[in-house]
Amino acid sequence: MKGFAMLGLNKVGWVEKECPVAGPLDAIVRPLAISPCTSDIHTVWEGAIGDRHNLILGHEGVGEVVEVGSLVKDFKPGDKVIIPAITPDWQAVASQRGFSQHSNGMLNGWKFSNSKDGLMAEFFHVNEADGNMALLPKEISPEEGTMLSDMVPTGFHGANNAEIEYGDTVAVIGIGPVGLMAVAGSNLRGAARILAVGSRPKCIEVAKFYGATDIVNYKDGDIVEQIKDLVGGEGVDKVIIAGGNVDTFEQAIKIIRPGGIISNINYLGTGDYIKIPRVGWGLGMGHIRVIGGLMPGGRKNMEYLARLIKYGKLDVKPLLTHRFKGFEHTEEALLLMKDKPRDLIKPVVTV
Ligand code: NAD
Ligand code: ZN
């Protein structure tokens, strides 16, 4: 079969590989729609997880089941399914602790385009199919369904980890697709005021659609000053980081109130340390929590998030700015994600 792969650091291209084989609990799926991710860009062009050779990229998509293993109970060939970016080992102790993302090792639930071939292929393999796939409701198109793999669950994980409460004032730093879903998740959880930190007009327009009440442009000067001017007093209740770099944490500490929560969902592709300012952190006693999380995968999460789209509480269509028809456009779509033209939020390829 054909696949679009990371050939090595800074190199991508088409490869020919053997078709994957399903174990008793697994499934083989062919993609119906796929979307490239900024994480693929960190992986190939920043070498953030080290070198990989001929590793098929992609972890966001909807597919049709082609084959299931003998112990798979709930899926059959022909089913249309949402594939989560993170496909944990559900029997692992870490999963029983509630951290399935780290089943059998830190970040090990993240398999596609990391430790095994991803979705940008004619066929791909899904481990523990009953635990990791979700049926695509007929009300949701495969294109829209791709946003349930990673963008919706990651943004909403950011809002969940920030423990957003009714009336909260939240700053979301970075409003690419992940940050936009953090805005939407914060809005659904009841935040009163959402300050979206970004610069591109398209992203700003869509941030307002998802519930941003204030826009802070980081290209107009220090966001700490701008946010302090806007909210005054002690600062914001919560910060969700979905863009920037290791230095963004310093800004986050400076804008948050005592007892606030900083929730990172950004993939830190470069830099060695995160600096936490001593005074801003209340001399170490400010009760400011910092948490960073990989999105949870698995069937239940996908099924519940899909309900939000099915019943009209969440519309992901504004994220889909660039549409391609045909598997051969995979490369073009991935390179768009790398070059980030000003009007891009997410490209999607219908296969
Ligand atoms: P993106 O690049 O489209 O969006 C990030 C945005 O942040 C961009 O618009 C960029 O202009 C902006 N930005 C850059 N520097 C900034 C700064 N100093 N202050 C404010 N904004 C700044 O990326 P995305 O697709 O939205 O993904 C965001 C991050 O989430 C990526 O690092 C991605 O790899 C990561 N990610 C994490 C998970 C997870 O499970 N935690 C899952 C998927 C993606
Ligand atoms: Zn991703």
Side-chain angles (χ1 to χ4, degrees):
M1 64 166 196
K2 265 178 99 163
F4 192 72
M6 171 171 181
L7 305 178
L9 286 180
N10 302 310
K11 261 190 270 158
V12 290
W14 291 96
V15 292
E16 281 285 340
K17 284 202 169 186
E18 294 285 312
C19 287
V21 177
L25 294 169
D26 311 336
I28 303 299
V29 179
R30 76 173 181 92
L32 297 172
I34 45 177
S35 184
C37 178
T38 305
S39 302
D40 294 316
I41 307 306
H42 291 301
T43 299
V44 178
W45 284 280
E46 286 174 1
I49 52 171
D51 205 352
R52 297 284 191 279
H53 292 277
N54 299 339
L55 175 79
I56 295 177
L57 293 165
H59 51 256
E60 300 181 9
V62 160
E64 184 185 270
V65 177
V66 175
E67 184 194 330
V68 293
S70 57
L71 297 178
V72 173
K73 297 193 198 89
D74 298 336
F75 297 93
K76 58 182 185 321
D79 284 345
K80 288 186 179 159
V81 288
I82 308 160
I83 308 297
I86 306 304
T87 52
D89 306 317
W90 288 101
Q91 293 181 4
V93 173
S95 302
Q96 294 175 23
R97 281 191 198 113
F99 295 97
S100 58
Q101 299 94 321
H102 310 295
S103 53
N104 293 317
M106 177 85 88
L107 305 180
N108 202 45
W110 171 25
K111 300 185 191 314
F112 291 126
S113 69
N114 179 9
S115 59
K116 78 171 193 189
D117 283 331
L119 275 55
M120 292 178 176
E122 287 176 283
F123 301 97
F124 58 87
H125 168 272
V126 184
N127 60 296
E128 296 189 34
D130 282 328
N132 281 323
M133 305 195 305
L135 283 177
L136 179 73
K138 62 180 184 328
E139 296 82 359
I140 303 177
S141 71
E143 280 186 335
E144 292 170 79
T146 60
M147 295 299 101
L148 287 164
S149 296
D150 193 355
M151 299 297 97
V152 179
T154 300
F156 279 50
H157 187 53
N160 287 346
N161 280 346
E163 300 177 19
I164 306 292
E165 293 178 24
Y166 301 128
D168 267 350
T169 295
V170 186
V172 177
I173 303 181
I175 47 170
V178 167
L180 288 168
M181 286 301 95
V183 170
S186 300
N187 195 43
L188 276 167
R189 285 187 62 123
R193 194 171 184 191
I194 303 174
L195 297 93
V197 181
S199 69
R200 290 186 284 148
K202 180 70 194 169
C203 296
I204 289 171
E205 174 200 322
V206 177
K208 288 180 182 162
F209 171 82
Y210 286 124
T213 52
D214 302 74
I215 303 296
V216 175
N217 190 331
Y218 64 97
K219 296 199 170 154
D220 286 348
D222 185 10
I223 66 164
V224 174
E225 268 172 42
Q226 292 189 62
I227 291 176
K228 283 196 158 164
D229 283 349
L230 280 169
V231 302
E234 295 178 310
V236 300
D237 296 299
K238 312 285 166 62
V239 178
I240 302 174
I241 302 178
N245 52 42
V246 287
D247 297 328
T248 308
F249 291 81
E250 190 167 352
Q251 295 173 317
I253 293 274
K254 288 180 177 166
I255 59 173
I256 203 159
R257 66 159 166 80
I261 302 175
I262 297 169
S263 163
N264 178 69
I265 38 178
N266 198 18
Y267 172 158
L268 297 169
T270 55
D272 290 323
Y273 297 97
I274 288 163
K275 261 198 290 183
I276 294 187
R278 181 180 61 87
V279 174
W281 206 35
L283 315 179
M285 299 177 284
H287 291 102
I288 294 167
R289 280 179 281 165
V290 181
I291 178 168
L294 179 67
M295 65 155 258
R299 173 173 173 178
K300 181 257 165 190
N301 199 38
M302 298 302 113
E303 286 181 351
Y304 275 56
L305 293 172
R307 292 179 192 171
L308 291 172
I309 301 180
K310 176 172 169 177
Y311 294 105
K313 306 271 170 157
L314 176 68
D315 181 2
V316 292
K317 287 191 286 295
L319 298 178
L320 305 173
T321 51
H322 292 62
R323 293 162 192 259
F324 297 91
K325 298 253 181 272
F327 183 49
E328 66 278 12
H329 293 292
T330 303
E331 177 168 17
E332 223 175 308
L334 180 79
L335 294 179
L336 262 184
M337 211 58 194
K338 173 171 177 280
D339 300 336
K340 299 258 155 79
R342 285 180 72 73
D343 60 343
L344 176 90
I345 298 181
K346 272 303 257 199
V348 62
V349 182
T350 309
V351 177

